[in-house]
């Protein structure tokens, strides 16, 4: 339910705002994940964690601004009211997504459920919600798809008559499956905040792929991206983002900041969660 709600909110929000603004707002999920980890998981944040978190937010914001400023100007753009509404939808989607990540971390480390079992339960209930609630509602709502907002039978007909379309859907399903499986492993061995940070880092891979497509494959491709005068600012934003992740995870230590002693144990919410003693960061020290 979390994933469906977050995807729907972000997808509807993208209808009202440019993709570059949408990508910039997605960085807010890092802040929401940190807030939820403090409120619900009772995690203690040290000064270096806050510094790393701040740098991640700044890095994501700089990358988004570089995309906005580097985009080609158009004669007409979205209305201001629509922009505000779309931004609110995307931010709401990030709140829901952060709640999902923290809920998964709670199930992993407090309830001690296996990661792949959580993924399986999410897939099972997501399929039930789509088949029993979402698709019937889309069928009942009038729309341009043969009188429906979404004609499921026509969708299956399109898939059965178009092997390229079917291959794209299967590739997308495989991508989502591997993304969720690797993401739950990051949450298990590190934390939900780490997962949100790494998720924000994939922007650099998308950006590099777009440059490669434009300059080495097809300059006319819609999937390519042009090097703009603000691309250097984008590189700076990525560097700040990576630095923030390293500081948050204690890979880079800032002089003058307080760090927990490495020999102190973490507090385990349940005896069965003792196998997670080495993670996640930041560490919550037991009261002496």
């Amino acid at each position: 339910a979390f994933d469906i709600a977050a995807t729907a909110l972000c997808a509807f929000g993208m209808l009202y705002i440019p993709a570059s603004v949408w990508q910039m707002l997605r960085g807010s999920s890092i802040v929401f994940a940190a807030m939820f980890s403090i409120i619900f998981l009772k995690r203690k944040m040290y000064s270096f964690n806050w510094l790393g978190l701040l740098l991640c937010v700044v890095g994501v914001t700089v990358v988004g601004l570089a995309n906005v400023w580097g985009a080609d100007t158009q004669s007409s753009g979205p209305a201001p009211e629509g922009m505000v509404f779309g931004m609110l939808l995307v931010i709401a989607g990030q709140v829901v997504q952060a709640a999902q990540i923290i809920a998964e971390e709670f199930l992993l480390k407090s309830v001690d459920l296996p990661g792949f079992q959580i993924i399986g339960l999410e897939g099972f209930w997501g399929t039930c919600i789509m088949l029993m609630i979402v698709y019937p509602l889309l069928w009942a709502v009038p729309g341009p798809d043969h009188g429906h907002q979404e004609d499921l039978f026509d969708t299956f007909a399109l898939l059965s008559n178009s092997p390229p379309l079917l291959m794209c859907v299967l590739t997308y399903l495989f991508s989502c499956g591997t993304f969720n499986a690797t993401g739950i492993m990051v949450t298990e061995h590190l934390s939900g905040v780490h997962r949100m940070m790494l998720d924000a880092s994939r922007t650099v891979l998308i950006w590099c792929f777009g440059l490669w497509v434009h300059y080495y494959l097809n300059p006319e491709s819609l999937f390519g991206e042009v090097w703009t005068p603000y691309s250097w600012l984008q590189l700076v934003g990525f560097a700040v983002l990576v630095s923030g992740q390293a500081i948050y995870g204690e890979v880079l230590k800032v002089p003058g900041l307080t760090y927990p002693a490495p020999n102190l144990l973490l507090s385990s919410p349940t005896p069965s969660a003792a196998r997670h003693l080495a993670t996640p960061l930041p560490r919550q020290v037991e009261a002496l």
Side-chain angles (χ1 to χ4, degrees):
F2 280 115
D3 198 11
I4 294 174
T7 303
L9 289 170
C10 291
F12 281 117
M14 187 179 283
L15 297 176
Y16 299 94
I17 61 177
S20 54
V21 178
W22 178 84
Q23 183 64 42
M24 179 177 60
L25 292 176
R26 288 189 73 250
S28 61
S29 60
I30 302 175
V31 179
F32 296 127
M35 293 171 54
F36 291 154
S37 67
I38 296 173
I39 296 172
F40 297 107
L41 300 181
K42 308 302 180 183
R43 179 152 303 127
K44 180 180 179 180
M45 297 280 281
Y46 292 89
S47 55
F48 70 90
N49 295 127
W50 288 113
L51 176 61
L53 186 65
L54 175 62
L55 289 177
C56 287
V57 174
V58 170
V60 172
T61 304
V62 170
V63 170
L65 288 175
N67 285 329
V68 173
W69 294 337
D72 294 331
T73 57
Q74 300 178 355
S75 57
S76 61
E81 297 81 4
M83 284 279 291
V84 174
F85 180 67
M87 292 171 67
L88 290 176
L89 287 178
V90 174
I91 293 175
Q94 300 314 301
V95 173
V96 176
Q97 185 180 26
Q100 176 191 356
I101 299 303
I102 298 304
E104 289 178 351
E105 185 173 357
F106 172 79
L107 294 175
L108 281 167
K109 298 174 180 177
S110 295
V111 183
D112 201 32
L113 286 179
F116 285 103
Q117 183 177 347
I118 296 176
I119 294 296
L121 290 173
E122 290 178 347
F124 172 77
W125 288 111
T127 302
C128 292
I129 293 174
M130 291 296 297
L131 293 178
M132 298 180 183
I133 300 177
V134 177
Y135 279 129
L137 287 177
L138 293 176
W139 175 271
V141 175
D145 194 1
H146 297 88
H148 310 282
Q149 193 66 36
E150 182 69 34
D151 189 344
L152 182 60
F153 300 101
D154 184 59
T155 300
F156 285 118
L158 291 173
L159 291 174
S160 60
N161 289 282
S162 177
L165 179 61
L166 179 61
M167 185 60 62
C168 288
V169 172
L170 293 177
T171 303
Y172 175 75
L173 293 176
F174 175 78
S175 173
C176 289
T178 53
F179 177 78
N180 290 330
T182 53
I184 202 75
M185 292 297 104
V186 173
T187 303
E188 180 179 6
H189 295 287
L190 292 174
S191 71
V193 181
H194 285 86
R195 180 177 176 180
M196 288 287 92
M197 290 181 175
L198 292 174
D199 183 68
S201 301
R202 62 176 170 165
T203 308
V204 66
L205 299 178
I206 300 174
W207 180 58
C208 292
F209 178 78
L211 291 175
W212 178 71
V213 169
H214 179 79
Y215 290 102
Y216 292 95
L217 288 184
N218 183 10
E220 304 298 327
S221 175
L222 296 176
F223 301 102
E225 185 165 343
V226 182
W227 182 274
T228 69
Y230 298 99
S231 294
W232 289 108
L233 183 62
Q234 206 164 358
L235 282 177
V236 173
F238 288 135
V240 173
L241 176 62
V242 173
S243 301
Q245 293 174 348
I247 293 175
Y248 186 92
E250 297 185 61
V251 177
L252 292 178
K253 292 192 175 183
V254 180
L257 298 183
T258 302
Y259 288 84
N263 59 340
L264 292 180
L265 297 180
L266 295 173
S267 59
S268 299
T270 63
S272 59
R275 61 191 180 94
H276 298 294
L277 282 178
T279 53
L281 296 174
R283 293 170 289 189
Q284 181 176 351
V285 181
E286 292 181 339
L288 298 178

